[in-house]
Amino acid sequence: MAPSGSGQALQVELVAADRVVWSGEAARVLARTASGDLGVLANHAPLLSLLVPGVVEIETTGGERVRAAVGDGFLSVSDNRVSILSEDTFLAEEIVESDARAELERAAADGDDLAALRAEAKLRVLQRS
C-alpha cells in the first residue's frame, strides 16, 4: 500500500557498519540531521545530509513504526529511495535499557559527549516504543 496521495512508497534502507538493520517500503521517515529534524515523504527532493546521534522513525506502508537509535552518519534521499547509514544503529528491540543507562554513566564519567549522545538516543528510542 502506498502513502495516501503520493501513489508511491519510499524504499528505505537503514544500514550499520556491519549489517542491513532494516529494509523495506515506508510512507514516511523522520530523522535528526545536523540541520535539524527532517521528515521525508514520497517524491522528496534529492538530499544528502549528516545525521547526528538521535532517533530514526520509519512509518511502514502497513502502518507499523520502526524506531532505531543511530550515531553519526549520513542520510541520502533520491528517487524515492532513502538510505540511512550510521556505524552505530540499533532497533528498539535490540536495546537493553540497563545497558544503555550504564553506557550513559560511563560516557558521563569519561567526559565523552558523543558517547553520551548515542546512549541518550538509545534511551529515547525505548521511551517512544
Side-chain angles (χ1 to χ4, degrees):
M1 171 171 43
S4 61
S6 73
Q8 295 182 331
L10 297 166
Q11 297 298 316
V12 180
E13 283 199 340
L14 180 59
V15 181
D18 59 345
R19 65 196 172 110
V20 174
V21 177
W22 188 87
S23 181
E25 290 190 347
R28 174 179 72 142
V29 176
L30 300 172
R32 177 156 291 168
T33 70
S35 301
D37 290 337
L38 174 71
V40 179
L41 299 171
N43 301 315
H44 194 285
L47 169 78
L48 179 61
S49 188
L50 292 172
L51 282 177
V52 296
V55 177
V56 169
E57 185 173 301
I58 302 165
E59 182 181 328
T60 71
T61 52
E64 295 175 49
R65 294 199 192 284
V66 176
R67 291 180 181 92
V70 299
D72 289 337
F74 298 94
L75 180 137
S76 169
V77 179
S78 180
D79 297 325
N80 287 326
R81 299 188 69 78
V82 179
S83 298
I84 302 164
L85 312 166
S86 176
E87 187 172 336
D88 298 310
T89 304
F90 301 92
L91 293 173
E93 55 268 21
E94 298 172 324
I95 300 168
V96 176
E97 184 175 0
S98 59
D99 292 347
R101 289 195 185 285
E103 185 180 328
L104 180 58
E105 288 174 14
R106 277 191 308 276
D110 294 343
D112 187 342
D113 294 338
L114 186 56
L117 289 172
R118 288 192 300 258
E120 289 169 352
K122 289 178 184 178
L123 293 171
R124 280 196 307 275
V125 165
L126 292 177
Q127 290 171 350
R128 293 183 186 182
S129 296

